[in-house]
Amino acid sequence: MSAIHALHGFIGSGKTTLARTLERDLGALRFTPDEWMTTLYGTDPPAAEYPALLARVRTLMLAQWTRAVTLGVPVILDEGLWTRASRDELRAQAAALGVPLTLHVLPFDPVTARERIAARNREAGAHFVAPATFELFLPRFEPLTPDEEPLQHVIRS
């Protein structure tokens, strides 16, 4: 059955690990921007070009995952949904497509996330996240607010 499973969490919160589990358990098609970025642009694309490159990847992914759900295939969106605006946009997309949306919320601990990022950065072929990038992006993360439209929220520990 067609459905959207989206992950809300910051860098290093375990989104991709959960996305892979959901992919296997649900027989879903997983969309992980970091993997697409690494395949297309290498493990550490130039910072000045990164926003434009990521926008291209997200445009391609949007076309693919919306097509998949219209064909009845469940999808996993491993994006983070850092902002209220991005979550509102996804809610609107799910409503327009007429498919259920489940938001999987991952807890965030900055110390653990920094450790996970450091470990991942040492893996061959991994999408590199510099410590300075982590710190730069940290203030951009907007946790869920109590007034957000209810979804099927699944809080993960």
Side-chain angles (χ1 to χ4, degrees):
M1 180 173 116
S2 187
I4 300 168
H5 292 266
L7 282 67
H8 170 61
F10 193 62
I11 301 167
S13 63
K15 294 181 307 295
T16 301
T17 300
L18 175 58
R20 288 177 178 144
T21 299
L22 291 171
E23 175 184 39
R24 182 191 66 240
D25 293 351
L26 301 174
L29 189 56
R30 178 173 53 89
F31 293 87
T32 301
D34 288 355
E35 291 175 356
W36 288 44
M37 288 291 291
T38 299
T39 298
L40 293 170
Y41 307 115
T43 58
D44 191 13
E49 296 176 32
Y50 195 90
L53 300 176
L54 182 58
R56 286 183 197 157
V57 164
R58 285 188 169 149
T59 298
L60 288 169
M61 287 176 54
L62 174 66
Q64 297 303 310
W65 75 254
T66 55
R67 177 75 175 134
V69 296
T70 61
L71 293 172
V73 178
V75 298
I76 312 296
L77 303 180
D78 177 13
E79 294 217 26
L81 300 169
W82 291 2
T83 65
R84 169 71 183 260
S86 66
R87 295 186 296 270
D88 287 346
E89 181 180 353
L90 183 57
R91 286 183 190 95
Q93 289 168 324
L97 292 165
V99 296
L101 170 62
T102 300
L103 185 63
H104 299 263
V105 181
L106 289 100
F108 176 64
D109 169 47
V111 173
T112 302
R114 286 183 188 99
E115 291 170 358
R116 287 178 177 166
I117 295 301
R120 185 174 70 197
N121 283 344
R122 291 188 294 269
E123 294 174 9
H127 188 77
F128 183 79
V129 177
T133 301
F134 181 95
E135 299 305 326
L136 176 69
F137 288 159
L138 190 53
R140 299 180 190 181
F141 182 74
E142 299 172 13
L144 291 179
T145 59
D147 67 319
E148 287 194 71
E149 178 183 327
L151 300 173
Q152 292 178 312
H153 289 146
V154 178
I155 309 297
R156 304 288 178 162
S157 54

